[in-house]
């Protein structure tokens, strides 16, 4: 299994980027893939709150932090590094990765590079697809429609939809369904990974008293997202085996 | 049927918790005030009030009266939350009791339940007053059923009186009730209770025998 970097980013805040990073870490753990995470919401990261043992807070545009991530890709125990890119920094991060030669190394096959581009429900968010395009030609690039609210992604207007979603020919698309609000809030309050919540455990591993109904909603939601990651062949891209769920 | 189950437990001085999923008229809750809670499944709060209670590990039986209009929602939540699987993990055995009628909707309901959980404890309650000519064994030969006799309209009317508790009726029937009605109602109630008790014994024996 080659070292892999999964970049999760959006140029707008509030589109559920960290939620996708969190669910990715849960998915990888459930698939027996050891991962580490970098949270670029310096100085205080949301991702670190939920996955403190796996997550380091970094500023990906700073050289020392770039070294911390990229130079350890081969030596780290975890072969997959998930980078939760701060809102508004996706373009800058991709530029930085290009400048340090990471994108070339990925093209040469030294690393697996996956980008999850989380979209918001606005034209400006969709315009980001074009801005990102020059940097992701050699990446496994996925446009993520995150239904964190009753968003539509212009499906009701086929011309607009096609003009954005068909813009990058090799882009895959991933749909993240909406999680029941009350379940989402209870996970937020608990401050634990989704899988820990579903397993009715506290962050310390003790038995918790979360609502069965809300855990059930989270379980179904996670199962559906896992099926979506399976569908796009994420584990195969990472060189890992598909697990029976 | 939910009322009969509740009165069956009351007659045996056994506690129970009841839930009525009809948030509008709530006939089950109205009949057993303080013992039956209304759970509106259209709200997450109502879902939590019901489903989280069903998984309490104690010996108290829970009776859920699933209103016809909340049946599909109830099943959807049951499936999505993994209620049956979680209950079994906790050694709680869910029993589904389907009331058979002439319309045939029960056949789809039973098929749907068995497709999802082939080893589910499913009991068909065939009330001759509602489904006189229905042969449940022709559709589901392996399923257990409660065979509930039809009630004479006068007796049925007496039973529907809001203040009439079937469990109390067995001990002290209202003096103003006709002796004929009393006798018929008593025989009918005891007939149903005997079948519920037989089913309970059967489940206990199955459990002792590993299933």
């Amino acid at each position: 299994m080659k070292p892999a970097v999964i970049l999760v980013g959006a140029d707008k805040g509030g589109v559920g980027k960290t939620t996708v990073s969190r669910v990715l870490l849960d998915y990888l753990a459930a698939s027996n893939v050891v991962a580490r995470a970098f949270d670029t919401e310096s100085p205080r990261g949301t991702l670190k709150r939920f996955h403190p043992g796996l997550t380091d807070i970094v500023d990906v545009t700073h050289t020392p932090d770039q070294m911390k991530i990229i130079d350890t890709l081969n030596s780290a125990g975890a072969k997959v590094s998930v980078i939760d890119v701060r809102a508004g920094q996706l373009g800058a991060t991709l530029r930085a990765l290009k400048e340090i030669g990471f994108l070339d190394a990925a093209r040469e096959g030294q690393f697996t590079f996956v980008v999850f581009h989380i979209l918001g429900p606005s034209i400006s968010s969709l315009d980001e697809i074009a801005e990102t395009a020059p940097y992701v030609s050699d990446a496994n690039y996925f446009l993520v429609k995150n239904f964190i609210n009753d968003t539509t992604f212009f499906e009701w207007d086929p011309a607009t939809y096609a003009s954005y979603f068909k813009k990058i020919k090799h882009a895959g698309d991933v749909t993240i369904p909406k999680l029941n609000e009350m379940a989402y809030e209870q996970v937020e309050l608990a401050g634990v990974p989704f899988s820990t919540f579903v397993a009715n455990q506290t962050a310390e591993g003790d038995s918790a008293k979360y609502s069965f109904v809300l855990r059930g909603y989270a379980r179904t939601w996670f199962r559906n997202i896992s099926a979506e990651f399976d569908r796009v062949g994420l584990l195969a891209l990472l060189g890992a085996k598909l697990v029976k769920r | 049927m939910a009322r009969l189950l509740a009165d069956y437990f009351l007659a045996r001085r056994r506690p129970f918790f009841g839930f009525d999923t009809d948030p509008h008229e709530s006939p089950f809750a109205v009949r057993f005030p303080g013992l039956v809670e209304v759970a509106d499944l259209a709200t997450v709060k109502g879902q939590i009030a019901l489903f989280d209670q069903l998984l309490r590990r104690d010996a108290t039986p829970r009776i859920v009266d699933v209103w016809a209009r909340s049946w599909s929602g109830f099943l959807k939540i049951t499936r999505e939350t993994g209620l049956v699987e979680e209950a079994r993990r906790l050694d709680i055995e869910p029993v589904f009791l389907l009331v058979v009628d002439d319309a045939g909707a029960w056949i789809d309901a039973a098929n749907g339940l068995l497709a999802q959980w082939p080893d589910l404890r499913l009991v068909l309650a065939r009330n001759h007053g509602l489904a006189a000519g229905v042969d449940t064994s022709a559709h589901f030969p392996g399923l257990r059923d409660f065979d509930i006799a039809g009630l004479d309209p006068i007796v049925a009317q007496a039973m529907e009186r809001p203040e009439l508790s079937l469990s109390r009726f067995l001990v002290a029937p209202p003096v103003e009730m006709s002796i004929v009605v009393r006798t018929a109602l008593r025989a009918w109630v005891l007939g149903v209770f005997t079948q519920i008790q037989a089913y309970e014994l059967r489940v206990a024996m199955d459990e002792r025998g590993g299933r």
Side-chain angles (χ1 to χ4, degrees):
Chain A
M1 187 173 168
K2 271 190 302 198
V5 171
I6 302 178
L7 208 65
V8 182
D11 276 340
K12 277 182 74 70
V15 292
K17 175 180 54 61
T18 302
T19 302
V20 174
S21 298
R22 285 161 58 194
V23 83
L24 250 176
L25 288 173
D26 275 331
Y27 171 78
L28 293 172
S31 309
N32 304 317
V33 175
V34 183
R36 60 180 183 166
F38 295 97
D39 188 338
T40 66
E41 262 186 43
S42 175
R44 190 180 170 81
T46 311
L47 185 60
K48 190 170 175 64
R49 182 174 162 244
F50 293 95
H51 293 270
L54 299 178
T55 312
D56 270 337
I57 295 179
V58 294
D59 182 342
V60 82
T61 57
H62 284 187
T63 305
D65 284 350
Q66 290 170 355
M67 291 165 66
K68 195 173 176 179
I69 302 168
I70 307 299
D71 289 353
T72 57
L73 284 176
N74 277 310
S75 58
K79 289 295 171 205
V80 176
S81 302
V82 175
I83 306 177
D84 183 7
V85 180
R86 184 163 61 178
Q89 292 293 308
L90 180 60
T93 302
L94 286 166
R95 266 194 303 280
L97 289 175
K98 185 177 173 60
E99 282 166 14
I100 62 172
F102 174 81
L103 298 187
D104 290 335
R107 185 185 309 123
E108 288 160 11
Q110 292 179 42
F111 308 110
T112 303
F113 185 40
V114 181
V115 176
F116 283 102
H117 185 162
I118 320 298
L119 299 170
S122 68
I123 289 289
S124 65
S125 177
L126 298 182
D127 281 337
E128 295 161 9
I129 299 172
E131 291 163 23
T132 313
Y135 303 104
V136 293
S137 55
D138 297 306
N140 300 288
Y141 182 63
F142 294 99
L143 294 168
V144 181
K145 289 186 266 187
N146 187 10
F147 288 83
I148 51 170
N149 46 36
D150 294 324
T151 303
T152 67
F153 291 87
F154 299 94
E155 283 104 335
W156 48 272
D157 182 355
T160 304
Y161 183 86
S163 71
Y164 289 102
F165 285 89
K166 311 275 185 227
K167 196 161 269 176
I168 302 176
K169 294 273 184 273
H170 67 277
D173 71 279
V174 172
T175 296
I176 304 288
K178 182 181 171 185
L179 174 61
N180 171 279
E181 292 93 344
M182 210 182 269
Y184 192 87
E185 282 170 20
Q186 200 172 357
V187 184
E188 286 286 314
L189 272 177
V192 294
F194 292 110
S195 54
T196 307
F197 179 77
V198 169
N200 204 22
Q201 289 181 340
T202 65
E204 292 73 34
D206 298 326
S207 181
K209 287 186 178 169
Y210 308 132
S211 156
F212 168 74
V213 169
L214 301 183
R215 286 192 291 121
Y217 275 122
R219 186 189 298 119
T220 305
W221 176 77
F222 180 65
R223 194 186 298 138
N224 291 340
I225 296 174
S226 296
E228 189 69 354
F229 286 145
D230 287 348
R231 179 186 66 78
V232 299
L234 180 59
L235 292 176
L237 284 178
L238 300 174
K241 281 186 187 160
L242 189 67
V243 295
K244 205 171 178 183
R245 297 180 202 287
Chain B
M1 197 64 223
R3 176 189 177 189
L4 283 164
L5 279 168
D7 271 313
Y8 168 80
F9 289 121
L10 289 175
R12 276 155 184 73
R13 299 177 185 280
R14 287 166 57 186
F16 75 93
F17 290 125
F19 301 91
D20 190 336
T21 65
D22 177 352
H24 305 289
E25 294 183 2
S26 318
F28 186 36
V30 167
R31 198 168 276 283
F32 298 94
L35 296 173
V36 175
E37 197 176 305
V38 177
D40 182 358
L41 297 187
T43 68
V44 178
K45 204 175 156 192
Q47 293 165 14
I48 291 173
L50 170 61
F51 286 83
D52 281 21
Q53 281 293 329
L54 295 183
L55 293 173
R56 286 278 168 88
R57 288 184 78 181
D58 55 38
T60 307
R62 267 73 170 166
I63 305 167
V64 186
D65 185 357
V66 184
W67 183 39
R69 284 169 66 180
S70 55
W71 172 251
S72 60
F74 175 82
L75 270 192
K76 183 171 181 278
I77 300 161
T78 299
R79 263 195 310 269
E80 288 191 357
T81 55
L83 175 80
V84 173
E85 296 75 11
E86 180 79 357
R88 286 175 174 168
R89 203 180 60 75
L90 297 170
D91 277 336
I92 299 167
E93 189 60 44
V95 177
F96 278 72
L97 222 152
L98 273 183
V99 176
V100 174
D101 57 26
D102 277 335
W106 65 276
I107 299 173
D108 292 338
N111 278 324
L113 288 170
L114 292 172
Q116 183 81 33
W117 302 284
D119 54 348
L120 185 74
R121 285 192 192 279
L122 176 60
V123 180
L124 302 172
R126 186 160 64 100
N127 183 336
H128 287 260
L130 293 171
V134 178
D135 179 6
T136 54
S137 62
H139 295 281
F140 301 98
L143 283 188
R144 197 172 174 89
D145 65 4
F146 290 164
D147 199 30
I148 301 171
L151 269 181
D152 181 277
I154 296 173
V155 182
Q157 199 177 12
M159 196 182 95
E160 288 309 317
R161 282 161 44 179
E163 76 284 1
L164 184 78
S165 153
L166 295 175
S167 52
R168 278 201 301 275
F169 164 81
L170 290 179
V171 182
V175 285
E176 74 281 6
M177 190 184 275
S178 143
I179 292 174
V180 175
V181 170
R182 253 193 259 171
T183 308
L185 186 55
R186 182 180 171 79
W188 186 83
V189 171
L190 286 176
V192 177
F193 282 9
T194 303
Q195 292 185 69
I196 297 173
Q197 187 177 28
Y199 183 73
E200 270 207 298
L201 288 170
R202 174 67 181 271
V203 170
M205 282 168 64
D206 282 354
E207 281 172 1
R208 202 167 294 172
R211 175 67 193 170

